[in-house]
Amino acid sequence: MSSNAMLQAENALVRTVLQISRSELHSHPTMAAIGNRGTVTEASGFDAAADAQKLRGAMKGTGTDEMAIIDVLAHRTIAQRQRIKEAFKQTVGKELADELSSELSGNFKSVVLGLLMLAPVYDAYELKNAMKGAGTEEACLIDILASRTNAEINAINAIYKKEYGKTLEDDVSGDTSGMFKRVLVSLLTAGRDEGDKVDDTQAVQDAKDIYEAGEARWGTDEVKFLTVLCVRNRKHLLKVFDEYQKISGKDIEESIKREMSGSLEDVFLAIVKCTRSKPAFFAERLYKSMKGLGTTDSVLIRIMVSRAEIDMLDIKTEFQKMYKKSLHSFIKGDTSGDYRKILLELCGKE
């Protein structure tokens, strides 16, 4: 593909994702959620203009009616929120995100602004923020890149380039190093096999390769882990994990913990956990963000916003199963004010 053709393809993808023009927005009648296991679903009797007026009213005069903002934004799909943004701009002549940004503050503001973004735009924004300034929030890079599909990663890559003028791979490469960087770069190629064919002979060989690259030798050949964990399809990997258990007598997660450390350990564990169950992976991330002293709000917000209309129902089920407490009760006990209110709405009924 020529560089010109690649640029055209990239621009077409960005246009599709951003649904830039108004005519495009209105020619997409579907206002449905992007997944079918979310707590946020398409609002019936939806009226974008009425919602825009309600939001305008919530910000008029002195003080802000936060509950009105929550009532609208926590109960509309991403697609519906795009219509509301469009209606607000038409009737008020200002960007809804800018108006809300100047009215709100803190974690509540972060949730609200996140809800207004299309999914890949939000992911790109989170990744950019994770690499801003001194230090990198590796957890953000891992949470997003280990859990997204090829199509999602391609969309994030295109949006990132359009929004920030650099490729995501360049920024990730400049901000990380060593084998951790190589794993992230591999994930960014969006080249994972997404079929469901399992090659039993290859699965046994993959399990042997990983065993011989780790537990069976002095030092660890991490490239072997990368080759298998970043490329093979989900069903094949589940077979590899079973075969690995037979060969080594250990669970693959246990071996990764023994053989690796730091961010490399974290990213390989995230890939294994997401392969087994994305909802369980996110349930654990939510639990860890809230347990003990203090709350890692960046993680809590990112997962609640990004999974609300994809698989939040399943995340809640896994959370209850794993920790014998509801996600609802954890959020309630760990947050406060309007921030707590909007998260509980996104979490759905207990």
Side-chain angles (χ1 to χ4, degrees), residues 57-72:
M59 294 183 277
K60 253 181 157 180
T62 53
T64 308
D65 182 355
E66 285 87 359
M67 209 57 227
I69 293 168
I70 294 168
D71 283 344
V72 173

Side-chain angles (χ1 to χ4, degrees), residues 29-305:
T30 175
M31 293 286 107
I34 49 180
N36 58 8
R37 297 291 303 151
T39 45
V40 173
T41 53
E42 188 178 350
S44 58
F46 173 62
D47 183 339
D51 282 346
Q53 285 311 311
K54 191 172 180 184
L55 290 170
R56 187 187 180 198
M59 294 183 277
K60 253 181 157 180
T62 53
T64 308
D65 182 355
E66 285 87 359
M67 209 57 227
I69 293 168
I70 294 168
D71 283 344
V72 173
L73 296 181
H75 299 283
R76 304 291 183 273
T77 60
I78 294 170
Q80 289 176 324
R81 293 183 205 122
Q82 304 317 301
R83 288 278 183 93
I84 296 167
K85 281 161 64 176
E86 192 71 18
F88 191 91
K89 196 174 181 176
Q90 282 170 354
T91 54
V92 182
K94 290 179 177 179
E95 293 284 354
L96 177 57
D98 293 345
E99 291 298 285
L100 286 165
S101 189
S102 66
E103 291 282 331
L104 310 176
S105 62
N107 291 325
F108 179 58
K109 170 173 152 179
S110 298
V111 176
V112 168
L113 295 182
L115 291 174
L116 290 178
M117 297 179 204
L118 288 161
V121 177
Y122 182 60
D123 281 345
Y125 169 80
E126 285 288 293
L127 289 165
K128 182 67 179 173
N129 274 353
M131 295 182 282
K132 252 188 189 170
T136 304
E137 193 204 334
E138 287 87 0
C140 173
L141 306 184
I142 294 167
D143 281 357
I144 293 174
L145 298 181
S147 65
R148 303 307 192 249
T149 64
N150 289 347
E152 286 167 339
I153 288 175
N154 281 328
I156 293 164
N157 277 326
I159 294 291
Y160 195 95
K161 176 103 182 283
K162 192 85 174 168
E163 293 279 313
Y164 305 114
K166 275 181 87 176
T167 68
L168 179 51
E169 185 186 321
D170 281 349
D171 277 352
V172 165
S173 295
D175 247 60
T176 57
S177 61
M179 188 53 65
F180 177 55
K181 172 172 91 174
R182 288 169 67 176
V183 173
L184 295 181
V185 167
S186 172
L187 293 172
L188 280 170
T189 63
R192 182 181 298 285
D193 170 16
E194 288 186 335
D196 54 11
K197 184 176 177 291
V198 178
D199 181 333
D200 290 339
T201 312
Q202 184 64 53
V204 172
Q205 189 58 52
D206 285 343
K208 274 185 185 155
D209 285 349
I210 292 177
Y211 178 65
E212 283 161 12
E215 291 281 359
R217 58 173 275 167
W218 182 255
T220 308
D221 178 3
E222 292 109 344
V223 179
K224 285 281 198 311
F225 281 80
L226 184 157
T227 304
V228 175
L229 294 178
C230 296
V231 179
R232 308 284 191 254
N233 73 54
R234 179 174 180 271
K235 276 193 173 172
H236 181 91
L237 281 177
L238 292 175
K239 178 73 174 165
V240 172
F241 302 159
D242 285 345
E243 293 299 332
Y244 185 88
Q245 178 87 41
K246 287 179 200 165
I247 293 166
S248 68
K250 293 187 182 75
D251 185 82
I252 182 88
E253 289 183 32
E254 197 187 323
S255 289
I256 289 169
K257 286 174 188 168
R258 282 164 56 102
E259 295 295 317
M260 323 266 177
S261 61
S263 296
L264 184 63
E265 175 191 338
D266 293 339
V267 72
F268 279 141
L269 283 175
I271 293 167
V272 171
K273 287 172 180 177
C274 285
T275 301
R276 286 175 161 161
S277 165
K278 280 185 196 177
F281 169 71
F282 287 119
E284 183 187 1
R285 296 291 294 130
L286 285 167
Y287 176 75
K288 285 183 172 171
S289 78
M290 292 182 279
K291 82 172 177 70
L293 283 172
T295 305
T296 313
D297 293 295
S298 59
V299 176
L300 177 57
I301 293 168
R302 183 166 59 246
I303 297 172
M304 294 306 294
V305 169

Side-chain angles (χ1 to χ4, degrees), residues 306-318:
S306 65
R307 309 311 292 187
E309 65 179 75
I310 298 176
D311 53 3
M312 189 54 70
L313 292 172
D314 299 326
I315 292 169
K316 284 166 68 176
T317 301
E318 289 297 333

